[in-house]
Amino acid sequence: MAAHADDGYRLWLRYDLIKTEAKLARYRQHLQEIVVQGSSPTLKAAKDELKQGLSGLLGNAVNLSAEPSRAFTLVAGTPKSSAFISSLNVSTRLQEAGQEGYLLFTHKTNGRTCTVIAANTDAGVLYGAFHLLRLLQTEQDITSLNLSSAPKTQHRILNHWDNLDRTVERGYSGFSLWDWHKLPEYIDQRYIDYARANASIGINGTVLTNVNANSLVLTEEYLQKVAALANAFRPYGLKVYLTARFSSPLEIGGLKTADPLNPEVQAWWKRKVQEIYRHIPDFGGFLVKANSEGQPGPQNYGRTHADGANMMADALAPMGGIVMWRAFVYDNNVPDDRAKQAYNEFKPLDGTFRKNVLVQVKNGAIDFQPREPFHPLFGAMPRTPLMMEFQITQEYLGQGTHLAYLAPLYKEVLESDTYAKGKGSTVAKVVDGSLHQYTTTGMAGVANIGTDRNWTGHHFGQANWYSFGRLAWDHTLASDQMAQEWLRMTFSNEDAFLQPTRKMMLRSHETVVNYMTPLGLHHIMGWNHHYGPGPWIKDKPRADWTSVYYHRATEKGIGFDRTKTGSNAVAQYFAPVEKLFSSLKNCPEKYLLWFHHLPWDYKVSSGRILWDELCYRYAEGVNEVRDMQQTWEQQQNHVDPERFKHVQTFLKIQEKEARWWRDACLLYFQTFSKRPIPAGLEKPAHDLEYYQRIEPKFAPGI
Amino acid sequence: MAAHADDGYRLWLRYDLIKTEAKLARYRQHLQEIVVQGSSPTLKAAKDELKQGLSGLLGNAVNLSAEPSRAFTLVAGTPKSSAFISSLNVSTRLQEAGQEGYLLFTHKTNGRTCTVIAANTDAGVLYGAFHLLRLLQTEQDITSLNLSSAPKTQHRILNHWDNLDRTVERGYSGFSLWDWHKLPEYIDQRYIDYARANASIGINGTVLTNVNANSLVLTEEYLQKVAALANAFRPYGLKVYLTARFSSPLEIGGLKTADPLNPEVQAWWKRKVQEIYRHIPDFGGFLVKANSEGQPGPQNYGRTHADGANMMADALAPMGGIVMWRAFVYDNNVPDDRAKQAYNEFKPLDGTFRKNVLVQVKNGAIDFQPREPFHPLFGAMPRTPLMMEFQITQEYLGQGTHLAYLAPLYKEVLESDTYAKGKGSTVAKVVDGSLHQYTTTGMAGVANIGTDRNWTGHHFGQANWYSFGRLAWDHTLASDQMAQEWLRMTFSNEDAFLQPTRKMMLRSHETVVNYMTPLGLHHIMGWNHHYGPGPWIKDKPRADWTSVYYHRATEKGIGFDRTKTGSNAVAQYFAPVEKLFSSLKNCPEKYLLWFHHLPWDYKVSSGRILWDELCYRYAEGVNEVRDMQQTWEQQQNHVDPERFKHVQTFLKIQEKEARWWRDACLLYFQTFSKRPIPAGLEKPAHDLEYYQRIEPKFAPGI
């Protein structure tokens, strides 16, 4: 119970004294006082953050001043709030910054040097303030700044799959932050710190509730609670959204139908939306999962997804709200290829959605697998804004205890070329609206945040929250840069620490792919909880909920043929991509078994046969975890004991579970390949039955 | 994310610099170095605690030394571990201290002054260390100490009603501390701090799992996890216990029966116990809820509670383990009076239990009501050690958000006179074994601890954990003393703070009784979740799970006649108590409607008629909460902003809910009394139907 300064609660917003003396001296010189003119709650938040941040980083109480009065001053504000900012004549440059961007520059005049944060809005000022703090935290030069920044997507949103009983679907870091029972009265300090953390990386919206929705949250009783959260978040530019259960009119409205074309239903939603806005004047809108995995939807009434989305959109439009309609759908009938479903259902609807509807598409066509090729819908709906849905929580990537830095996964998807409008039509350009001139854009991340003291369970899980936010703001950022920023802010600016740990982070996603699903394998995890390996899963209510449906291993070979000779899912991509993935020769090896069913003795690029390559990849995954362990062991002097031990323990769990994955998968696939594990590789510690008997109980994440 | 020094995580173990300068100087003079001779994990824990505690309290790093080397030294150890202690010739005095007690005295010799903590065991040293720290925290004189202390009960145990999925039955402070999924590898710092907190108040055992038990915890997989917790707790003298589901032989043993007289079943439990002890060599034993509320038990096989308890006891005896067999039972048939059941089932079994069985009896005969007369079993089983079971979690006392200091409740029960062996045969003397010469003794408290940052949800909930532990060690402590200790250690030593807040605490239990169940009313709470009022609850699966069964309100009157003219439950008490409670004239008014059914116009001691008195009591309850609010408002300068606001908010919720209780109960009972609420009292804000329609959703605590 000593001061738990290093329990990870502060995330990357650690404002400890800067260690490099020369930098510290320079910062102290340049930031002698803080002038934030204006008094809105958001400007107050910016002011408080700057005061708290600078005081900690510089180790002295930096004074607030109403006007610049020192030789070196920090000034922040908007032309409206601040006469000083207004006097700088930066209105042209500010135009580019838009509603949320900012300028950050050094201004010298009359022998006075001002570090200026200027923006069109108070939220922009806040974002700029966090940028300046980040520069200090990462020990960058601030003596001659000339920066501007504006977000590339409008809606940068966390999706919480949080239930009203505080369990979290696919949540591995404790329970839901939202203590519904004590709301609206009790405002946990954590709500504020949550909003601060989001603001610091540019996240401007949060969907509080699970996509498997409960209509209760739309009742008066709960709206009061939602409003209390919205009030707590508002100063930080964070808007609140809710999931809207499609059958709400029946469940809480007393209607006999939820048919979206029924006027009573339409009127009910209009009234409901008005009620919501009475409580939360800046309510963001609805996220909807409909006709998917048992959730009700418009198809229950013979209507289309567009009918359903448009009904809600019409109710929200007058208030400025949006609908985010998920493309992750399941037909009642098991399709020949699950991967084709979203495209088949949604592409024909392009152009039929209201303006305030975004279709939210998962990064891949299956379901957040360790690796998936990009979703073929991207590029295929030029008249419908498509939002990206990434998963930050590691449902299929080691859940609570595996170190997997996900920026490389996000980047791999964003940089994929759809060829929708020829070469260079990347997924990122679809999502940021530039390819199809979407007027609304967005990026969503399924949150990995819970009540665990360090927010994300694994300390390195924080890096995924961080990089999701940073990428939603600017998808051009490199994984390495974000890793370094996060490491510097969260742990240390020391080079001896940074170099090995960033390498470890950058490699970590590939490592997990290797010991879970190398070479394009997918969906071979344990049943239901998705924890651990389960390539033998079969005979479930739906074929496309099993593993054998996806890996298709037989004595002859393994892999899902999605070319013309198979499901032909590949035809959903634009021609150059289709050609690439269809070609055995050109198909990137990382997607090999995603698109091709191949014999066990097929020769891969290493010169090995497929079976041997699988064995080597699985082995490599385990070995790389051991490398990570070694890397971390060497950081003991750079990291506080509590976090050092925490990560060390989790890496130990990861190594154990990587072996579990490797051994279970290889033993299982070996029953088909009938080949030995190559000499020199570790042999499984147990027999296949042992692994098949493992039945995790009470695995977190429901 | 500023330092959350004041989020309550540190509980009463705050080691901030002592504010009173004169005291600080004295302490610094007397505690110049720490000498703890010996190297066991427990002595190391004592040493660490003293070093950390003194360094914080005295504001300077107090040095550890191998031998006394200064004019003023703190020495702690056992005669075995420490040559210095051994040389003091205190063996006679140490005999009284027993296995866990300690001496704390000032020893002057050769111009050197030593503050000495001496004990027979390392655990005793640790307890003594916490005592010394408490003296400093509460700013007591330590210049001339001559104290000894030994626990009055042997087994001082927390019962966690924690499920393996981390939900907590009747838990209102988040979720279970035990992160089973990450055990055995990950040892949360919180486990250590939990053990420290318990050691600081003398708690030496913890039952990790819910009495509504899951047999999985007895499997190899979970025993490894339990062992990891036991290892973490062991240095702090905290033993681990588990709940044993009676049907485990069927569920995890592959047997066809759990009949306690079946040799295979007996052999299974013996093997299982041996397996447990292989993992946890100092395992404490089992807590069992059998044949109660649907739990399996020996009666399923036509056997008695003694048969069941003895079978487990025989398995545990060779390893030194105990069985705590709960007397909280429900017959399959609804009895004429639920209050009589435990007595009827257990008294005839007196003398038939093995030596290592304790029967664990709730403080009252119903179920942890806001107030109950003491359980008639106390005193009635002279040949069977009876353990007290108190509830620390506030299932019926406002749950997570009401300030109710429970020491007065505990004391009221402990000081009740059973007259088992004539006047002075208090419940405390039954429990501490002195009345019937029990060779084993114990006291259990159902924990109020969860993942909430401040452990107990309400900051003042910490005081209930604290005072339970202190009373289990020494039941003669006064409520006021424990309140003051806790307030001083947790908040402030300032008199201006202490006087009003201790008054508030001491009155708070009575306040809750007033707005919930005055004058002996009981069991009129909401269905299932037990949250909020529900005097109208009827027509449930069992009559004795309803409210109308207990209050028996009609147009003629209200109350449960437990005298000869009614259920005659009162006959379960010894004659003088029976006489007292039976007599309308002498029956304490606080138990009036517990024992008597009375007409609405019955005159009570205030001169009012019963209906009016009910109205006044309910009104008084609400008014007293408002007094508490006023008291707290005046403490703003004495308490840090975070905890001040937290308590302020919770008091606001309490006031709202007190009104809810008052209005709902009065409106409901008014339908029978047909009398007006006396003039001058606040009228209910809504009609009865409004209150009956309130249906709490997702109330915590399952």
Side-chain angles (χ1 to χ4, degrees):
Chain A
M1 285 195 219
H4 278 274
D6 295 321
D7 57 15
Y9 181 80
R10 294 184 294 165
L11 295 161
W12 49 86
L13 297 175
R14 296 160 69 85
Y15 298 138
D16 296 335
L17 185 64
I18 284 163
K19 286 194 177 151
T20 311
E21 299 256 344
K23 307 246 169 161
L24 178 58
R26 197 78 57 81
Y27 296 152
R28 280 182 174 160
Q29 182 198 16
H30 271 261
L31 304 166
Q32 296 180 4
E33 64 178 0
I34 301 167
V35 176
V36 183
Q37 292 170 332
S39 60
S40 75
T42 299
L43 287 176
K44 186 179 176 305
K47 199 189 307 184
D48 291 349
E49 197 73 32
L50 287 169
K51 171 130 180 80
Q52 184 195 336
L54 295 183
S55 300
L57 290 162
L58 309 188
N60 54 23
V62 181
N63 286 328
L64 295 170
S65 175
E67 298 284 344
S69 68
R70 308 279 202 112
F72 292 89
T73 294
L74 167 63
V75 187
T78 67
K80 245 193 255 174
S81 77
S82 162
F84 181 88
I85 300 285
S86 179
S87 74
L88 296 178
N89 291 319
V90 286
S91 54
T92 314
R93 289 187 61 203
L94 271 176
Q95 274 175 12
E96 290 165 35
Q99 284 302 296
E100 298 181 292
Y102 52 85
L103 310 177
L104 179 51
F105 57 94
T106 308
H107 178 76
K108 298 187 186 187
T109 176
N110 301 331
R112 174 175 288 163
T113 302
C114 288
T115 303
V116 179
I117 301 166
N120 293 307
T121 64
D122 297 346
V125 175
L126 181 65
Y127 293 135
F130 278 113
H131 191 144
L132 177 68
L133 289 167
R134 183 166 63 236
L135 293 178
L136 270 61
Q137 289 177 278
T138 56
E139 299 194 355
Q140 307 302 303
D141 182 29
I142 64 154
T143 54
S144 181
L145 292 170
N146 189 18
L147 297 168
S148 73
S149 185
K152 293 206 190 309
T153 50
Q154 290 165 7
H155 300 290
R156 306 174 299 280
I157 295 187
L158 286 184
N159 290 2
H160 287 268
W161 288 358
D162 291 16
N163 300 313
L164 299 183
D165 65 0
R166 300 191 73 180
T167 56
V168 180
E169 186 163 331
R170 313 309 177 189
Y172 312 104
S173 51
F175 293 83
S176 172
L177 290 184
W178 325 132
D179 190 352
W180 292 109
H181 183 68
K182 297 202 192 80
L183 285 167
E185 289 88 355
Y186 174 56
I187 302 301
D188 193 329
Q189 173 64 31
R190 205 153 182 166
Y191 302 153
I192 315 292
D193 291 331
Y194 166 84
R196 287 178 55 235
N198 280 318
S200 77
I201 51 177
I203 289 172
N204 66 358
T206 178
V207 184
L208 299 175
T209 45
N210 192 352
V211 286
N212 293 322
N214 188 323
S215 52
L216 266 180
V217 81
L218 301 179
T219 60
E220 177 70 18
E221 180 183 353
Y222 275 85
L223 289 175
Q224 291 179 18
K225 300 168 188 280
V226 174
L229 287 174
N231 292 342
F233 299 160
R234 188 170 294 112
Y236 296 92
L238 189 67
K239 267 192 191 183
V240 155
Y241 299 74
L242 292 173
T243 48
R245 188 166 161 86
F246 201 80
S247 49
S248 298
L250 292 94
E251 291 156 6
I252 60 168
L255 300 191
K256 297 250 158 64
T257 177
D259 181 349
L261 299 195
N262 179 302
E264 276 187 77
V265 172
Q266 295 171 347
W268 185 86
W269 280 107
K270 285 208 165 88
R271 284 197 310 275
K272 180 52 71 181
V273 164
Q274 285 160 9
E275 182 188 351
I276 295 173
Y277 278 86
R278 276 198 300 276
H279 287 285
I280 310 146
D282 57 350
F283 179 68
F286 293 141
L287 171 64
V288 187
K289 173 178 180 176
N291 294 120
S292 172
E293 299 183 318
Q295 293 295 306
Q299 294 177 345
N300 299 23
Y301 306 94
R303 313 302 184 187
T304 69
H305 284 291
D307 293 331
N310 290 342
M311 172 198 60
M312 291 190 184
D314 287 342
L316 286 159
M319 328 299 289
I322 61 169
V323 173
M324 297 166 286
W325 194 272
R326 291 176 92 232
F328 178 74
V329 291
Y330 269 94
D331 195 62
N332 289 331
N333 306 307
V334 175
D336 65 327
D337 184 355
R338 162 101 195 87
K340 297 196 293 189
Q341 183 134 10
Y343 183 99
N344 288 344
E345 283 199 32
F346 277 84
K347 180 164 170 50
L349 299 174
D350 188 29
T352 66
F353 291 96
R354 295 286 188 273
K355 276 195 169 171
N356 58 331
V357 176
L358 295 102
V359 171
Q360 183 167 310
V361 184
K362 289 189 180 181
N363 59 280
I366 300 293
D367 186 15
F368 296 137
Q369 291 306 294
R371 165 171 279 137
E372 294 192 41
F374 72 91
H375 202 300
L377 267 177
F378 291 110
M381 294 184 71
R383 295 186 294 154
T384 308
L386 299 186
M387 257 180 101
M388 173 61 76
E389 179 176 312
F390 283 128
Q391 196 178 41
I392 311 172
T393 190
Q394 295 172 227
E395 176 178 0
Y396 302 96
L397 281 152
Q399 303 198 347
T401 47
H402 295 210
L403 195 165
Y405 175 51
L406 299 185
L409 181 161
Y410 305 151
K411 289 289 288 184
E412 182 173 297
V413 174
L414 290 166
E415 291 176 353
S416 294
D417 197 338
T418 69
Y419 282 85
K421 291 177 138 187
K423 192 166 163 55
S425 304
T426 60
V427 172
K429 286 186 184 168
V430 175
V431 172
D432 74 12
S434 59
L435 193 71
H436 303 303
Q437 287 75 52
Y438 293 156
T439 52
T440 316
T441 60
M443 201 184 287
V446 181
N448 62 344
I449 303 163
T451 51
D452 277 1
R453 181 64 183 163
N454 70 2
W455 303 83
T456 56
H458 202 307
H459 284 288
F460 277 78
Q462 299 179 356
N464 295 329
W465 177 9
Y466 180 84
S467 57
F468 165 77
R470 297 282 286 135
L471 278 176
W473 182 279
D474 180 1
H475 57 68
T476 69
L477 290 170
S479 297
D480 191 14
Q481 180 184 337
M482 294 182 288
Q484 287 202 55
E485 281 179 8
W486 178 80
L487 282 167
R488 284 172 181 274
M489 296 164 80
T490 308
F491 285 106
S492 167
N493 279 291
E494 291 169 289
D495 211 53
F497 170 79
L498 284 172
Q499 294 319 317
T501 50
R502 54 178 264 257
K503 268 171 73 178
M504 173 177 83
M505 285 176 74
L506 289 170
R507 180 70 191 164
S508 60
H509 170 244
E510 202 68 45
T511 297
V512 177
V513 171
N514 273 336
Y515 64 70
M516 285 186 182
T517 53
L519 296 170
L521 285 174
H522 52 287
H523 207 292
I524 57 171
M525 64 288 168
W527 170 247
N528 197 351
H529 45 69
H530 299 171
Y531 171 63
W536 46 78
I537 301 291
K538 60 180 178 180
D539 301 331
K540 293 294 176 185
R542 292 177 64 109
D544 54 352
W545 288 352
T546 68
S547 298
V548 297
Y549 175 93
Y550 293 98
H551 63 66
R552 312 224 163 176
T554 67
E555 295 192 12
K556 292 192 178 159
I558 184 171
F560 198 131
D561 183 0
R562 291 194 166 101
T563 68
K564 271 184 198 144
T565 54
S567 77
N568 204 26
V570 76
Q572 292 181 336
Y573 290 104
F574 287 89
V577 180
E578 177 186 0
K579 208 173 140 194
L580 179 77
F581 291 161
S582 292
S583 154
L584 243 185
K585 199 176 127 228
N586 297 321
C587 178
E589 214 157 61
K590 60 187 175 186
Y591 303 140
L592 198 61
L593 302 177
W594 190 283
F595 290 112
H596 301 277
H597 184 84
L598 296 171
W600 292 107
D601 60 358
Y602 174 81
K603 278 259 167 63
V604 298
S605 64
S606 66
R608 297 190 191 107
I609 64 167
L610 177 58
W611 164 252
D612 287 352
E613 182 70 14
L614 264 187
C615 293
Y616 275 96
R617 294 289 182 112
Y618 273 108
E620 197 180 352
V622 173
N623 291 335
E624 287 177 328
V625 177
R626 292 171 184 161
D627 291 345
M628 289 160 71
Q629 288 183 285
Q630 280 187 18
T631 299
W632 190 250
E633 288 301 326
Q634 283 153 23
Q635 309 315 319
Q636 186 148 19
N637 294 332
H638 301 288
V639 179
D640 52 278
E642 190 170 345
R643 289 188 298 167
F644 177 79
K645 182 84 187 295
H646 196 286
V647 173
Q648 185 187 45
T649 301
F650 279 34
L651 282 171
K652 193 177 156 195
I653 295 173
Q654 185 171 2
E655 197 272 343
K656 183 180 80 172
E657 297 190 349
R659 279 187 281 117
W660 175 27
W661 270 93
R662 179 195 66 186
D663 296 348
C665 291
L666 287 182
L667 285 170
Y668 171 76
F669 290 132
Q670 195 177 33
T671 64
F672 302 104
S673 79
K674 315 277 188 194
R675 289 163 193 271
I677 292 171
L681 298 185
E682 276 178 29
K683 298 290 175 289
H686 306 276
D687 62 12
L688 177 58
E689 271 179 64
Y690 170 89
Y691 296 103
Q692 288 178 320
R693 269 201 311 268
I694 295 175
E695 201 190 314
K697 292 111 194 161
F698 304 109
I702 60 173
Chain B
M1 287 198 217
H4 277 275
D6 295 322
D7 57 16
Y9 181 79
R10 293 186 294 165
L11 295 160
W12 50 87
L13 297 175
R14 296 159 70 86
Y15 299 137
D16 294 337
L17 186 65
I18 285 162
K19 287 193 176 151
T20 311
E21 299 255 346
K23 305 244 167 161
L24 178 58
R26 196 78 58 83
Y27 297 150
R28 281 181 174 160
Q29 182 198 14
H30 272 261
L31 303 165
Q32 297 181 3
E33 64 178 359
I34 301 168
V35 176
V36 184
Q37 292 169 332
S39 60
S40 75
T42 298
L43 287 176
K44 186 179 175 309
K47 199 191 303 185
D48 291 349
E49 197 73 32
L50 286 169
K51 172 131 180 80
Q52 183 195 337
L54 294 183
S55 300
L57 289 161
L58 308 189
N60 54 24
V62 181
N63 285 327
L64 295 170
S65 176
E67 298 285 342
S69 68
R70 307 278 205 114
F72 293 89
T73 295
L74 168 62
V75 187
T78 67
K80 243 192 257 177
S81 77
S82 163
F84 182 89
I85 301 285
S86 178
S87 75
L88 295 178
N89 292 318
V90 287
S91 53
T92 314
R93 287 187 64 204
L94 272 177
Q95 275 175 12
E96 289 166 37
Q99 282 303 297
E100 297 181 292
Y102 53 84
L103 310 177
L104 180 49
F105 58 94
T106 308
H107 178 76
K108 298 186 189 187
T109 175
N110 301 330
R112 175 174 288 161
T113 301
C114 289
T115 303
V116 179
I117 301 167
N120 293 307
T121 63
D122 297 347
V125 175
L126 181 65
Y127 292 137
F130 278 113
H131 190 143
L132 177 69
L133 289 167
R134 183 165 65 236
L135 293 179
L136 268 62
Q137 288 178 280
T138 56
E139 300 193 355
Q140 307 303 302
D141 183 27
I142 63 152
T143 53
S144 181
L145 293 171
N146 188 19
L147 297 169
S148 72
S149 185
K152 293 205 190 312
T153 50
Q154 289 164 7
H155 301 290
R156 306 174 299 278
I157 296 187
L158 287 183
N159 290 2
H160 287 269
W161 289 357
D162 290 18
N163 300 313
L164 299 183
D165 66 358
R166 300 190 71 180
T167 57
V168 180
E169 184 162 333
R170 314 309 178 191
Y172 311 105
S173 51
F175 293 82
S176 172
L177 289 184
W178 325 133
D179 190 352
W180 291 109
H181 184 68
K182 297 203 192 80
L183 285 166
E185 288 88 356
Y186 175 55
I187 302 301
D188 194 330
Q189 175 63 31
R190 207 155 179 164
Y191 301 153
I192 314 291
D193 291 332
Y194 166 83
R196 286 178 57 234
N198 280 318
S200 79
I201 50 177
I203 289 173
N204 65 359
T206 178
V207 184
L208 299 175
T209 46
N210 192 353
V211 287
N212 293 322
N214 188 325
S215 51
L216 266 181
V217 81
L218 301 180
T219 61
E220 176 70 18
E221 181 184 352
Y222 275 85
L223 289 175
Q224 291 178 18
K225 299 168 186 280
V226 174
L229 288 174
N231 292 341
F233 299 161
R234 189 170 294 112
Y236 296 92
L238 190 66
K239 268 192 191 183
V240 156
Y241 299 74
L242 292 173
T243 48
R245 187 163 161 88
F246 201 79
S247 48
S248 298
L250 292 95
E251 292 156 6
I252 59 167
L255 302 190
K256 299 249 159 64
T257 177
D259 181 348
L261 299 195
N262 178 301
E264 275 186 77
V265 172
Q266 293 171 349
W268 185 87
W269 280 107
K270 285 211 165 87
R271 283 195 312 275
K272 180 52 72 182
V273 164
Q274 283 159 9
E275 184 189 349
I276 295 174
Y277 277 87
R278 274 196 302 276
H279 288 285
I280 310 145
D282 57 350
F283 180 68
F286 292 141
L287 170 64
V288 187
K289 173 176 179 176
N291 293 119
S292 171
E293 298 183 317
Q295 292 296 305
Q299 294 176 347
N300 299 24
Y301 305 94
R303 315 302 183 186
T304 69
H305 284 290
D307 293 331
N310 291 342
M311 173 199 57
M312 292 190 184
D314 287 342
L316 286 159
M319 328 298 290
I322 60 168
V323 173
M324 298 167 284
W325 193 271
R326 291 175 92 233
F328 178 73
V329 290
Y330 268 94
D331 195 62
N332 289 332
N333 305 307
V334 175
D336 66 326
D337 184 354
R338 161 102 196 87
K340 297 195 294 190
Q341 182 134 10
Y343 183 98
N344 287 345
E345 283 198 33
F346 277 84
K347 180 164 170 48
L349 298 175
D350 189 28
T352 67
F353 290 95
R354 296 285 188 274
K355 275 196 167 171
N356 59 330
V357 175
L358 296 103
V359 170
Q360 184 167 309
V361 184
K362 289 189 180 181
N363 60 280
I366 299 293
D367 186 16
F368 297 136
Q369 292 305 295
R371 166 171 279 135
E372 296 193 39
F374 71 93
H375 202 299
L377 267 177
F378 291 111
M381 294 183 72
R383 294 185 296 154
T384 309
L386 298 186
M387 258 181 100
M388 172 62 76
E389 179 176 314
F390 282 129
Q391 198 178 41
I392 311 173
T393 189
Q394 295 171 228
E395 176 177 359
Y396 301 97
L397 281 150
Q399 302 197 349
T401 47
H402 295 210
L403 195 165
Y405 175 52
L406 299 185
L409 181 162
Y410 304 151
K411 291 288 288 184
E412 183 174 298
V413 175
L414 289 166
E415 290 175 353
S416 293
D417 198 338
T418 69
Y419 283 87
K421 291 177 139 188
K423 191 166 163 57
S425 305
T426 60
V427 171
K429 286 186 183 167
V430 175
V431 172
D432 73 13
S434 61
L435 193 71
H436 301 304
Q437 286 75 52
Y438 293 157
T439 51
T440 317
T441 61
M443 201 183 287
V446 181
N448 62 343
I449 303 164
T451 51
D452 277 1
R453 183 63 184 164
N454 69 3
W455 302 83
T456 56
H458 202 308
H459 284 288
F460 277 77
Q462 300 178 355
N464 295 330
W465 178 9
Y466 181 84
S467 57
F468 165 76
R470 296 282 289 136
L471 280 176
W473 182 279
D474 181 1
H475 58 69
T476 68
L477 290 169
S479 297
D480 192 13
Q481 180 185 336
M482 293 181 288
Q484 288 204 56
E485 280 178 9
W486 179 79
L487 283 167
R488 285 173 179 273
M489 296 165 80
T490 308
F491 285 106
S492 167
N493 279 291
E494 291 170 290
D495 211 53
F497 170 79
L498 283 172
Q499 294 318 316
T501 50
R502 54 177 264 256
K503 268 171 73 178
M504 172 177 84
M505 284 176 74
L506 289 170
R507 181 69 191 165
S508 60
H509 170 246
E510 201 69 43
T511 297
V512 177
V513 171
N514 273 336
Y515 63 71
M516 285 187 183
T517 53
L519 296 171
L521 284 173
H522 52 287
H523 207 291
I524 58 172
M525 64 287 167
W527 170 246
N528 197 354
H529 45 68
H530 299 171
Y531 172 63
W536 47 78
I537 301 293
K538 60 180 177 180
D539 301 331
K540 292 296 175 185
R542 293 176 64 110
D544 53 353
W545 288 353
T546 69
S547 298
V548 298
Y549 175 92
Y550 292 98
H551 64 64
R552 313 223 160 176
T554 67
E555 295 193 14
K556 292 193 177 157
I558 185 170
F560 198 131
D561 182 0
R562 292 194 165 100
T563 68
K564 273 185 196 143
T565 53
S567 77
N568 204 26
V570 77
Q572 293 182 334
Y573 291 104
F574 287 88
V577 181
E578 176 185 1
K579 206 173 144 194
L580 179 77
F581 291 161
S582 292
S583 153
L584 244 183
K585 196 174 131 233
N586 297 321
C587 179
E589 214 158 60
K590 60 187 174 185
Y591 302 140
L592 197 61
L593 301 177
W594 190 283
F595 291 111
H596 300 277
H597 184 83
L598 296 171
W600 293 108
D601 61 357
Y602 174 81
K603 277 259 168 62
V604 297
S605 64
S606 65
R608 298 189 190 106
I609 63 166
L610 178 58
W611 164 252
D612 287 352
E613 182 70 13
L614 264 187
C615 294
Y616 274 97
R617 293 290 181 110
Y618 273 108
E620 196 179 352
V622 173
N623 291 336
E624 287 176 327
V625 177
R626 291 168 183 163
D627 290 345
M628 288 161 70
Q629 289 183 285
Q630 281 187 18
T631 299
W632 189 250
E633 288 299 327
Q634 284 153 23
Q635 309 315 319
Q636 186 147 20
N637 295 332
H638 301 288
V639 180
D640 52 278
E642 189 169 345
R643 289 188 296 167
F644 176 79
K645 183 85 186 294
H646 195 287
V647 173
Q648 186 187 44
T649 301
F650 278 35
L651 282 170
K652 194 177 156 196
I653 295 172
Q654 184 171 4
E655 196 272 344
K656 185 180 79 172
E657 296 190 350
R659 278 187 282 117
W660 176 25
W661 270 93
R662 178 194 68 187
D663 295 350
C665 291
L666 287 182
L667 285 169
Y668 171 76
F669 290 131
Q670 195 176 34
T671 64
F672 301 105
S673 79
K674 316 278 188 194
R675 291 163 189 271
I677 291 170
L681 298 186
E682 276 179 27
K683 298 290 177 288
H686 307 277
D687 62 12
L688 178 58
E689 271 177 64
Y690 170 89
Y691 296 103
Q692 289 178 318
R693 269 201 311 269
I694 295 176
E695 201 191 313
K697 292 111 195 160
F698 303 108
I702 60 173

